Amino acid sequence: VNDFAIQRNQVMELENSYPDDWAVALVTMEFLVHGNPRELLYNEKMDMEGKEESASILEIPMLMIGGNDTKGPLRHYTSLLEQRHQFLEGDFRSHYHSLTRYMHLGTSESHEYDSGRHGLFEKGKAEERIESGLPPKRLGDLFIAKFLWSPWPEGLDRKVNVGKTISTEDRKKNRGFQHLRRQSKSYVERERKKYTTGRLYKMHDLCMDDNNTNKKFLSMSRGFRSVYHGQFCHGKMKWRS
């Protein structure tokens, strides 16, 4: 049984056992992307020490990956983002808690996750969702690739079955409501079609600039390029200087 509070406490207990290290709680379909994250986070830690700051919270934006699943079958032991690098742009906040995760350092005594680990709050105030007194900040081109609707159909069974594991207590509190709706494959297929082929969301490709003027997406595209250098984009790269 998937109990959100128990999971949160287990994650926090593990993170707090390494108080001098950066921590971020990702789920199985989320991947942290940056060309050199160790150097990036080391420099941030050194900057903290220079300012005599004891804690830091980084807000890491997400890209919702939605394809391209017509590109060919998945190859084992090859980067998933290399094979599926189209993402969706739209108002996901009306459907999901957040488009971010939080990486943090030095917060074990002062902060805690909410039950779904979507937010980081002052300790004892997570369920009331009272914002932290330590403002989060963005760091470089660091981002998370969230494989929301891709790969497909490989991801279908997982989406249908997550809701079945949610505890009775969490169901009463409507926790994981998006998972509880996905009890049949036909419903999930309709939902995916709405996102990937509807008018509300636009598909972009990390291999192409697409003349996108959204600075957040352009920043994440640079982060993608710093990892893969476009070697598999087959001449599609159209990066702005």
Side-chain angles (χ1 to χ4, degrees):
V1 175
N2 183 2
D3 186 290
F4 286 95
I6 292 176
Q7 281 191 345
R8 175 196 63 178
N9 293 340
Q10 289 175 338
V11 170
M12 289 176 55
E13 182 180 357
L14 178 61
E15 289 184 353
N16 293 344
S17 64
Y18 298 91
D20 298 324
D21 296 335
W22 290 97
V24 59
L26 305 179
V27 297
T28 55
M29 71 279 199
E30 296 172 0
F31 299 86
L32 194 67
V33 181
H34 190 270
N36 193 344
R38 291 180 182 274
E39 180 180 7
L40 185 74
L41 295 173
Y42 173 81
N43 290 338
E44 172 63 16
K45 189 174 183 179
M46 292 298 100
D47 186 55
M48 285 172 55
E49 293 180 1
K51 296 178 181 178
E52 298 184 349
E53 297 174 346
S54 60
S56 178
I57 299 175
L58 306 179
E59 185 181 47
I60 309 176
M62 286 185 178
L63 280 185
M64 302 299 179
I65 305 298
N68 176 2
D69 290 291
T70 63
K71 187 176 181 179
L74 286 178
R75 304 188 305 277
H76 291 292
Y77 313 112
T78 301
S79 167
L80 187 56
L81 191 57
E82 177 180 327
Q83 300 178 71
R84 302 289 188 266
H85 42 77
Q86 289 187 350
F87 66 94
L88 296 162
E89 177 185 3
D91 182 19
F92 287 96
R93 290 190 183 275
S94 60
H95 301 280
Y96 294 91
H97 290 293
S98 176
L99 290 179
T100 60
R101 291 285 187 187
Y102 293 91
M103 180 176 284
H104 49 103
L105 174 67
T107 60
S108 60
E109 299 297 324
S110 58
H111 291 74
E112 64 183 3
Y113 292 117
D114 62 359
S115 58
R117 304 184 305 283
H118 295 288
L120 194 64
F121 302 90
E122 289 187 22
K123 190 160 284 189
K125 300 178 180 179
E127 294 311 309
E128 291 80 14
R129 304 189 70 80
I130 297 176
E131 294 296 334
S132 166
L134 183 64
K137 55 184 174 180
R138 295 283 177 92
L139 189 62
D141 300 328
L142 189 70
F143 75 94
I144 293 168
K146 184 180 182 71
F147 284 81
L148 186 64
W149 296 111
S150 181
W152 209 261
E154 291 85 356
L156 177 58
D157 284 340
R158 179 187 181 278
K159 284 197 177 295
V160 171
N161 287 302
V162 169
K164 299 175 183 178
T165 69
I166 296 176
S167 69
T168 302
E169 187 65 24
D170 285 328
R171 288 171 182 263
K172 292 178 181 178
K173 296 179 179 179
N174 203 32
R175 291 172 175 167
F177 63 91
Q178 72 275 27
H179 301 300
L180 294 173
R181 290 198 300 256
R182 297 166 182 160
Q183 299 291 312
S184 71
K185 290 186 177 181
S186 59
Y187 177 91
V188 175
E189 289 283 11
R190 290 195 301 271
E191 186 182 14
R192 180 178 183 271
K193 184 176 181 180
K194 179 184 73 172
Y195 281 105
T196 58
T197 64
R199 296 180 179 179
L200 296 177
Y201 305 92
K202 183 178 180 181
M203 191 81 78
H204 297 278
D205 195 321
L206 281 167
C207 273
M208 301 186 72
D209 182 67
D210 263 352
N211 294 318
N212 194 333
T213 58
N214 188 309
K215 292 182 179 180
K216 181 182 74 171
F217 291 142
L218 289 174
S219 174
M220 289 187 274
S221 294
R222 288 194 298 268
F224 171 80
R225 178 176 56 171
S226 71
V227 176
Y228 295 102
H229 308 293
Q231 69 264 29
F232 54 87
C233 289
H234 307 299
K236 296 179 181 178
M237 305 289 279
K238 296 182 180 179
W239 304 102
R240 298 180 180 183
S241 59

